[in-house]
Amino acid sequence: MGEELPRVFLLDAGELLAIRDRIYAGEEDLQAADQCLIRDADQALYAGPFSVVDKETLPPSGDKRDYMSQAPYWWPDPDRTDGLPYVRRDGEVNPDSAGYDRAPLSGLCAALSALAPAYFFSDLEHFAAHAGLLLRTWFLDEATAMHPHLEYGQAIPGRCDGRGIGIIDTHGFGWLVEMVGLLAASPAWNRDDQRALEAWFGAYLDWLLDSDHGREEAAQNNNHGTWYDAQVASLALFVGRDEVARQICATSARRRVAAQIDADGSQPLELARTRSLDYCAMNLAAFFDLADLGLQVGIDLWEYEVPGGGSIRRAFYWLVERAIDGEWPHEQMSDFDKAQLIPLLRRGGRRFADAGCEERIAAFADADADRTNLLYPRR
């Protein structure tokens, strides 16, 4: 592989090249993470290929190439013989909701998150070849490709065929296109593939911006709105529409900081959920992504503070103090593996020059094997 910088927006291209050189040099402190990544990528070779046409249920359109999912927290009404319309049980996942396209999409994103960096750091072509197969099957091949819209995302039986809220299903697209940037040097992902994928995401970006569902999701004030902005900004950069990303980061993202983060750093809209720690962490990850994307277009959200004191920095330390340094004092109806916070600790520690975050990471078992050590290296 040559030394051309990978085309990434959330990660630092120069740092990625430096980490690859350090891995090849055999630096001991990177070996555990590299070995774990290779093991994950070896397993991902058996994943998929995934496609929206594999679901058993037809969407309302009658076209299996239309993405379809069912709202996870909605259940049959026990007081009605047909169960309709469904009723909401926040935080309780209806297992029937797994039978559509959300689970395969999650599988696709998970496999790519292992295969692409494993190829980049190792030059092993079989990882890139399988990543290319997965991408073409889901997005590009005429017989299997998803149409670029989410009209039928998070449907509720008896209530609606789809909702703007369903756009959260594709919040992983920002990371997915980041992984595509790590494949650029491989013959398994050629220029025609890249152009076709950019065209697909360009069409999806138009749908996000112009559709009723897209406008509905953009109007959400909680994590749905934050992840909508992160998706739009990331995909806009991927398809070369930097002005869209700049507008999101300069206006909408700043409004979300003001609307969602209190002066003490708490996130009231996420704390109202039955799995409040999951949602606070998830929303903060979206703000972190927006802040990194903002740097690509000259907008500094990392240091942005609204009148009254709300900021991404304060949200980070509010979460760290309660989820890492103390016991979480709010409702959390399901178990939460605090090791999930390692990426936030690493990213926050780097951006806010806080060595204490590395000390917190070191306290976790097997912290040296975490993939974050390769993507967000210690400074």
Side-chain angles (χ1 to χ4, degrees), residues 43-371:
Q43 290 184 326
L45 290 171
Y46 299 96
F50 307 96
S51 169
V52 291
V53 303
D54 293 336
K55 59 181 173 288
E56 296 181 1
T57 304
L58 275 176
S61 64
D63 190 340
K64 278 196 170 184
R65 289 181 58 191
D66 289 336
Y67 179 95
M68 181 181 182
S69 67
Q70 185 173 300
Y73 300 152
W74 289 78
W75 295 71
D77 187 338
D79 296 328
R80 296 177 178 268
T81 55
D82 62 359
L84 300 176
Y86 275 26
V87 294
R88 188 170 184 261
R89 289 156 53 177
D90 187 37
E92 299 181 45
V93 176
N94 183 343
D96 292 343
S97 67
Y100 302 90
D101 291 321
R102 187 190 303 107
L105 177 58
S106 296
L108 169 71
C109 292
L112 288 170
S113 72
L115 291 165
Y119 162 70
F120 180 84
F121 291 125
S122 72
D123 289 339
L124 294 175
E125 283 291 337
H126 59 289
F127 292 140
H130 194 60
L133 171 65
L134 296 181
L135 288 165
R136 284 187 290 271
T137 303
W138 187 276
F139 293 106
L140 304 182
D141 293 347
E142 181 66 26
T144 60
M146 169 186 167
H147 290 135
H149 68 78
L150 246 65
E151 288 294 334
Y152 308 115
Q154 294 211 11
I156 303 173
R159 295 182 183 271
C160 65
D161 291 332
R163 304 178 294 162
I165 284 175
I167 291 171
I168 199 73
D169 285 7
T170 56
H171 78 277
F173 277 173
W175 186 251
L176 183 146
V177 298
E178 197 82 352
M179 296 298 94
V180 172
L182 302 182
L183 300 173
S186 173
W189 187 252
N190 59 43
R191 291 182 179 178
D192 288 341
D193 293 327
Q194 182 71 20
R195 282 194 290 266
L197 191 65
E198 289 179 12
W200 193 99
F201 276 109
Y204 186 60
L205 176 62
D206 287 338
W207 182 84
L208 287 174
L209 294 170
D210 299 333
S211 67
D212 289 342
H213 281 351
R215 287 190 286 269
E216 178 187 332
E217 189 75 334
Q220 297 292 322
N221 276 330
N222 63 356
N223 67 86
H224 280 268
T226 320
W227 277 113
Y228 172 87
D229 279 359
Q231 275 197 71
V232 167
S234 179
L235 300 184
L237 290 171
F238 180 70
V239 303
R241 294 170 62 179
D242 291 16
E243 73 286 352
V244 174
R246 185 175 297 107
Q247 177 71 13
I248 287 287
C249 294
T251 58
S252 181
R254 286 173 171 165
R255 286 198 302 268
R256 295 198 192 283
V257 173
Q260 296 187 44
I261 302 174
D262 278 0
D264 65 351
S266 62
Q267 302 176 57
L269 294 172
E270 311 309 325
L271 290 175
R273 304 298 297 272
T274 58
R275 295 165 52 214
S276 59
L277 179 50
D278 285 273
Y279 279 97
C280 283
M282 180 187 184
N283 197 41
L284 186 59
F287 275 119
F288 274 25
D289 283 1
L290 277 169
D292 276 340
L293 295 168
L295 296 179
Q296 300 288 333
V297 290
I299 306 296
D300 188 356
L301 294 170
W302 285 110
E303 297 299 331
Y304 176 69
E305 183 174 302
V306 300
S311 68
I312 293 174
R313 177 194 290 266
R314 291 192 178 184
F316 172 65
Y317 282 107
W318 188 95
L319 185 67
V320 167
E321 289 168 6
R322 287 155 183 82
I324 301 293
D325 298 346
E327 292 297 323
W328 187 250
H330 303 278
E331 184 174 6
Q332 175 64 29
M333 66 180 294
S334 58
D335 291 337
F336 183 89
D337 181 2
K338 292 186 178 182
Q340 297 176 58
L341 300 176
I342 290 177
L344 289 175
L345 283 170
R346 176 60 54 73
R347 296 172 74 181
R350 283 158 52 96
R351 290 301 180 189
F352 304 132
D354 184 351
C357 289
E358 286 298 330
E359 296 174 6
R360 294 180 176 96
I361 291 172
F364 285 98
D366 301 320
D368 287 345
D370 193 271
R371 202 179 297 172

